[in-house]
Amino acid sequence: RFNAIQGIAGVGKTTALKTIQETCVAYGFEPLVLADTSRATEEARQSSGMLSMTSAQFLTGVETLVKQDPIQAKHLYGKHALIILDEASMVSSQDFFRLQKIATILDLRLDFSGDFKQQDPIGMGLPFESALAYGIRHAVMKENVRLKSERAFEVMNKVYAGDVEGSLKGLHDRIEEIPLKKEALNRITELYMEVLGDKKEAPLVIIPLNKDRMIVKSLIHEKLKETQRLKGEPVPMPVLL
């Protein structure tokens, strides 16, 4: 009933969902893909064409229905026959168990797809890693299909192996060391705008200190205004703590 797919970033786990979707439809049923975030569910839907929703949305709906009307729950959700949890490493032990329980009640197959070395769950436990370690039937995907650069793939493998020094050496010509903080923050802003270009999705900036993050955020906003990518007056939003 329970299976898993383990694969590092770039091996095509999410892309493989399209093949699974086509196979399932050929056998006469519609699979359902779940993920922990709405963005991940949307990416899974676009890459595979599968019906998708967040794991929280699924659990909230199906658990309530199972209690109120188990026959109706079986009718609505049992038709899927296969549920795939994408980015499974991000799911807490509690939700992992809840999904297994629902799959058993509704007589569904449940497949976990992810990479235990990627982002851990916000909640307690490491259920996906534990399931792999303690014998869940699983397949391992190893072949890179995303990274076009062999060097990038080698560096990623060194990161996964815990060889931080080796990974940094592999990126030696891509690393800038700027001792003065003001110059460094300005350089981050410049690189952000260069990488952004005409792309719709912005690059991700990771900064250790929150006060430095706020400075860079302000600098980026000014650059976006200068280039007319950001228009209008700022709208203040209250934050409740």
Side-chain angles (χ1 to χ4, degrees), residues 191-207:
L191 286 171
Y192 179 95
M193 297 303 295
E194 288 175 15
V195 174
L196 181 62
D198 295 326
K199 298 176 183 176
K200 293 182 179 180
E201 290 193 10
L204 176 64
V205 178
I206 300 175
I207 300 177

Side-chain angles (χ1 to χ4, degrees), residues 6-185:
Q6 159 63 24
I8 64 175
V11 297
K13 297 185 299 294
T14 302
T15 305
L17 293 176
K18 184 174 182 180
T19 301
I20 296 173
Q21 160 77 352
E22 293 171 350
T23 303
C24 290
V25 170
Y27 278 89
F29 64 91
E30 180 75 14
L32 173 67
V33 62
L34 307 177
D36 207 47
T37 65
S38 56
R39 180 172 182 176
T41 59
E42 180 61 19
E43 288 178 356
R45 185 192 64 78
Q46 290 182 356
S47 65
S48 67
M50 284 188 191
L51 176 66
S52 64
M53 63 179 71
T54 64
S55 51
Q57 180 185 3
F58 171 76
L59 286 169
T60 301
V62 72
E63 285 178 333
T64 301
L65 192 56
V66 163
K67 292 178 182 177
Q68 296 175 348
D69 190 344
I71 296 176
Q72 180 67 1
K74 177 73 174 177
H75 173 72
L76 288 178
Y77 294 99
K79 64 183 179 182
H80 295 298
L82 172 65
I83 293 178
I84 300 169
L85 178 64
D86 199 20
E87 304 294 354
S89 66
M90 298 175 64
V91 176
S92 67
S93 292
Q94 182 181 19
D95 286 350
F96 206 85
F97 173 75
R98 290 166 69 193
L99 287 166
Q100 289 179 312
K101 183 178 179 180
I102 287 298
T104 301
I105 292 172
L106 299 181
D107 193 26
L108 305 171
R109 288 186 180 275
L110 178 59
D111 284 3
F112 302 97
S113 175
D115 177 12
F116 71 88
K117 288 192 175 182
Q118 290 191 38
Q119 188 170 350
D120 293 338
I122 295 174
M124 294 182 64
L126 299 170
F128 182 63
E129 181 177 356
S130 297
L132 293 170
Y134 289 100
I136 189 172
R137 187 170 66 174
H138 67 278
V140 178
M141 299 177 67
K142 298 180 179 179
E143 185 178 350
N144 167 54
V145 295
R146 181 193 300 167
L147 298 175
K148 306 303 180 186
S149 166
E150 285 297 325
R151 183 174 70 160
F153 190 60
E154 289 174 7
V155 167
M156 186 180 70
N157 281 325
K158 288 180 179 178
V159 171
Y160 270 83
D163 182 7
V164 177
E165 183 179 357
S167 63
L168 290 175
K169 286 180 179 178
L171 294 171
H172 65 92
D173 59 338
R174 303 291 298 275
I175 297 174
E176 292 186 43
E177 293 188 63
I178 304 174
L180 297 179
K181 179 176 287 188
K182 185 176 179 179
E183 291 181 10
L185 298 181

